[in-house]
Amino acid sequence: MRTREKLAAGAAVALLMLTGCAGSGESGGAGGKAPATATGSLEDLAADVKCKPNIQTDADEIRQAICTNPDGKFVLATFATDRGQREWINDAKDYGGYYLVGRKWVAVGDDGVVKALRGTLGGDVEIGVDHHAHTHSG
């Protein structure tokens, strides 16, 4: 779907601005036990991690904001459907980064920020493609 592709591309640009290029390719474990996965609106999740969301996208399918808290800067997005969320993540992971995934929400940032957020929001860590590991042959 065109709208979803545009939103994923926008998220990828925001991610690259926040974190630079791809992650290190390490395992997705955040270390330690995470709390039960949080639920709620974008504003509820932002309040849980003590950030004031700067809303970038406010659409029926996705709401997306840039957040900053003491742990760093990250993208926080909520989705209308589980399928829409999974399609967005699958598209965005091509751009690298670290993804903290809950039910109908995702937080995207660097490894340290995602680990810190997981301590409050719970969820599962997924890692995007590490383009640094690719070599070019000539």
Side-chain angles (χ1 to χ4, degrees):
M1 179 180 275
R2 259 307 182 216
T3 301
R4 190 175 358 267
E5 290 169 359
K6 288 179 184 176
L7 293 172
V13 169
L15 172 64
L16 291 173
M17 289 182 352
L18 293 174
T19 64
C21 241
S24 66
E26 296 172 5
S27 71
K33 247 185 149 24
T37 302
T39 59
S41 70
L42 189 141
E43 289 81 5
D44 293 337
L45 296 167
D48 288 347
V49 295
K50 297 176 177 45
C51 87
K52 182 178 178 189
N54 178 358
I55 304 291
Q56 303 294 304
T57 304
D58 194 358
D60 290 339
E61 290 183 36
I62 182 175
R63 295 189 72 226
Q64 181 176 300
I66 295 177
C67 283
T68 303
N69 71 7
D71 299 312
K73 200 177 233 188
F74 56 97
V75 174
L76 184 61
T78 56
F79 302 86
T81 65
D82 294 323
R83 180 180 175 183
Q85 175 189 19
R86 180 46 50 194
E87 289 175 355
W88 183 94
I89 292 168
N90 290 345
D91 288 342
K93 283 173 71 174
D94 286 340
Y95 297 93
Y98 293 83
Y99 299 77
L100 180 61
V101 181
R103 177 121 198 283
K104 295 186 183 175
W105 62 263
V106 64
V108 186
D110 69 29
D111 185 35
V113 171
V114 166
K115 284 180 180 177
L117 293 173
R118 186 171 187 252
T120 302
L121 297 176
D124 297 312
V125 176
E126 297 184 25
I127 300 174
V129 176
D130 182 355
H131 293 287
H132 291 227
H134 298 191
T135 59
H136 299 285
S137 58

